[in-house]
Amino acid sequence: MSANKLPNELLRECFAHIEYQNKHWKNDIKSFRLVSKRFYAEASPFLIAKATVSFNKESLQNLETLATHPIFSKYITQVNIDVTYYDKLLAQGRHALHRFAEDNATRLYQNLEMMDRGMGRGRDRDSANARAVRDAFRIVTKWEAISGLDYPADGSSPNSEQKVLIEAWHEYVKLFDEQEEVVNNGEGARKVVSYLEKFTGLRRVVVEDYTRHWGTYSNFRQARDYPMLFTDAGLRERCLQPSPWKGTFRTALDTELPVHLLSSLFTSLSQTNIRLKEFEIKVTAPANMSNINFTSNQLEAVKTTVSKSEKLFLRIANWARKSSLAENNDRPASELAGLCALTSAFFSSPKLTEMELSLDDYPVFGEIPKISASDLLTLPLPSPKVEKIYLRNVPFTTTSLQTLVSSLPKLKRLNFNAPFLLDGKWVHALDILHQLAANKTLVHVELHGPQGAEFGNWLSWVKNGVEQREIERWIMGEREGEGNPLAGWVPEYGQGHGL
């Protein structure tokens, strides 16, 4: 049968197969769009299924173009909203240039140290990459000179080593000013949401600050073409990167985080008819978590927005203050209260079937968590329909674990990664999890790296000879004749540290 005679449904299946099976699928789809008007109409939806928007004029214009396009507005199913930001500390004020120089010099020095250590020994030490890295340390020295308060605040009279940074700073100031003009007390968020309303097939929104914008710079580094990293173009691109929510090492404790972007987005979404099936938030943990502090009205907007969501994912990563283990990384409960209020509101959907709460690398360095699952979630869960649950580094008391288990009558897949037990014993916690097997719906269980109680709080479980698979079999109900694998078990290497 000629492809021209295929029904539209089968034609779309062919294009879908190309999309998922061929790494060059975009070029193939573009070619098929040129065959005929019918091929153009049926192939176009597979060309762009996702869109990304940042808070700058060009990005908003691109989103508007897609939202008003007769084809893409119907078939884009996911929009990623980038909430990285240009830092006021580095763009405004008498000493902005000095701080910009200090910040970039510090980050460059940190990267150079990592690159230098990565060279190892032998021939790598004499390679072009190694020489480029060693030579680049002089750039740090020149940039540090600009950070001194005796250096002209306008960046006048630079030498050749400093010119690229000062030119980048002037461009950074323009990018910051444009960002502030676009954000404009929530106007930017309202504009983004107005475009989202035009995507009739929208199912998923992802709010993230993980995305790094290093284009050419990133490609050079991945290709290990280090000399190109330290050309004027490479350094300029590096200096113009926006910041994640932690800021950078130098700005982490002083920066004004754009948390208002998140609250404004939820407020604007709650005032529309957009009720997404899937919503995801993945942001960096601020150096001071008190920055995440929604008002009661904003929390209600979160609940309204997710009220019909079936899949919800929230990831908070990089918990070390200033990304450093040398800092005091203990997080008191009072500091985390705003985050707990947000997570509780976010996972409030009565239609929820799949959820993920990831607190990546929390606690950072052997600290004992000051919160538990009952602070982070409303327990029992508001939805009795949850079939898949993934929890990473989430602390539990035995009571909160029991309450969670009792609210999962339809659970099919359970994934606990590094759960921290705050009281009692893991042998009893496993008995609580074993209750899930009575539902007869459970088909998959993973439990990686339990902490607290018998296992300590320094990942000592790795050394203690615990059979992970046997623990998972017990939860699944596959060890009825053998019993709880931790019953009578004594840690071979002691109880770890701190508990």
Side-chain angles (χ1 to χ4, degrees), residues 445-466:
V445 168
E446 292 183 39
L447 193 151
H448 300 275
Q451 299 179 62
E454 302 100 306
F455 296 121
N457 59 330
W458 280 90
L459 298 180
S460 60
W461 61 277
V462 174
K463 301 179 180 179
N464 277 321
V466 178

Side-chain angles (χ1 to χ4, degrees), residues 140 225 262 429:
V140 175
D225 189 358
L262 189 55

Side-chain angles (χ1 to χ4, degrees), residues 20 25 45 133 168 196 275 285 299 375-376 403 411 441 449 454 473:
Y20 292 111
W25 63 271
V133 169
L196 295 184
R275 297 295 176 263
L299 291 172
D375 301 305
L376 291 158
T403 308
L411 190 67
T441 56
E454 302 100 306
R473 287 183 63 230

Side-chain angles (χ1 to χ4, degrees), residues 222-266:
Q222 289 177 13
R224 293 184 65 82
D225 189 358
Y226 289 178
M228 295 302 295
L229 297 177
F230 309 117
T231 61
D232 286 358
L235 290 170
R236 178 183 177 279
E237 184 176 1
R238 190 183 193 286
C239 290
L240 293 178
Q241 300 312 307
S243 299
W245 274 21
K246 190 184 294 294
T248 64
F249 183 81
R250 287 293 183 182
T251 65
L253 298 177
D254 302 316
T255 186
E256 296 181 14
L257 302 173
V259 181
H260 58 278
L261 291 179
L262 189 55
S263 58
S264 296
L265 283 167
F266 275 116

